[in-house]
């Protein structure tokens, strides 16, 4: 139990609830200090939640966010275009998108299209209908949707 507590404490020094409230419900925490995913965009998104929740407690939940993130790997490996791929996960027997994995040189830019589709509840069939400029790496998303 102690070991578990220590490990968690290293990841997030300040504990918050789903509304980003600390143990003192009038004090909020945002960003790396309290989030599991430590990125600039998650820090900003959590700050927006705290700013909204401070005057109107308990309106916006951290768990409601759709958060994209990518791991930037060794540049030489990432630059090897043959190793790139797009995987889109859909609900069984429907085109509802559940998530995606993109490994590519510009994966961080490409994943935004999937995030938009998730937030706007756009299905895979619609993605397949979107005309993507050619030749672009993002066209791999359309090709995956087509497949
Ligand atoms: C090498 C590196 C590369 C990264 N690359 C990426 C990336 O490519 N993409 C991405 O999304 N994220 C990246 N990150 C993560 C990103 O930088 C952080 O997630 C983001 O900066 C968190 O924002 P924040 O406001 O929570 O904290 P911070 O940006 O760390 O801001 C906290 C601020 O509080 C100040 N501070 C600390 N203690 C006190 C105090 N006692 N009193 C007053 N001020 C204090 C600090 O000086 C700092 O300015 C990277 C991080 C590192 C270290």
């Amino acid at each position: 139990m102690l070991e578990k507590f220590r490990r968690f404490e290293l990841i997030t020094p300040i504990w918050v609830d789903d509304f980003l409230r600390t143990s003192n419900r009038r004090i909020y925490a945002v960003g790396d200090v309290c989030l599991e995913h430590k990125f600039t965009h998650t820090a900003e998104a959590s700050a927006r939640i705290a700013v909204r929740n401070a005057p109107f407690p308990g309106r916006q939940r951290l768990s409601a966010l759709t958060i994209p993130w990518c791991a930037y790997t060794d540049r030489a490996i990432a630059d090897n275009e043959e190793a790139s791929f797009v995987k889109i996960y859909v609900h069984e027997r429907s085109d509802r998108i559940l998530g995606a994995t993109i490994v590519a040189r510009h994966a961080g830019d490409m994943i935004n299209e999937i995030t938009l589709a998730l937030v706007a509840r756009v299905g895979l069939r619609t993605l397949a209908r979107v005309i993507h400029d050619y030749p672009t790496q993002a066209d791999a998303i359309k090709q995956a949707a087509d497949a």
Side-chain angles (χ1 to χ4, degrees):
M1 185 63 188
L2 184 63
E3 186 58 29
K4 201 174 170 186
F5 174 78
R6 275 209 203 115
R7 259 188 266 139
F8 186 67
E9 194 181 36
L10 279 175
I11 299 168
T12 59
I14 296 180
W15 291 13
V16 289
D17 65 11
D18 208 18
F19 304 106
L20 292 170
R21 293 178 301 199
T22 62
S23 54
N24 180 335
R25 291 179 155 237
R26 290 180 300 168
I27 297 179
Y28 293 74
V30 302
D32 280 8
V33 79
C34 66
L35 299 181
E36 186 187 345
H37 298 103
K38 302 185 189 316
F39 300 105
T40 304
H41 51 286
T42 50
E44 186 198 337
S46 65
R48 287 173 185 272
I49 288 177
V51 165
R52 287 186 196 126
N53 282 349
F56 306 110
R59 292 277 174 94
Q60 304 271 319
R61 287 179 179 271
L62 183 66
S63 58
L65 293 178
T66 303
I67 299 172
W69 61 274
C70 50
Y72 293 93
T73 57
D74 181 287
R75 186 58 188 261
I77 294 171
D79 280 351
N80 183 347
E81 298 301 315
E82 288 85 16
S84 302
F85 66 84
V86 172
K87 270 188 189 176
I88 303 174
Y89 310 104
V90 293
H91 197 266
E92 200 177 12
R93 285 190 285 274
S94 90
D95 75 334
R96 182 157 69 88
I97 299 169
L98 301 174
T101 301
I102 300 177
V103 174
R105 193 196 303 201
H106 300 293
D109 289 329
M110 292 167 68
I111 199 74
N112 292 324
E113 183 175 349
I114 303 292
T115 309
L116 175 64
L118 271 168
V119 172
R121 297 180 188 276
V122 168
L124 202 59
R125 283 186 193 86
T126 306
L127 272 192
R129 286 209 315 268
V130 175
I131 298 171
H132 288 64
D133 208 351
Y134 179 88
T136 56
Q137 293 204 9
D139 191 47
I141 293 172
K142 178 179 166 47
Q143 289 181 24
D146 278 339

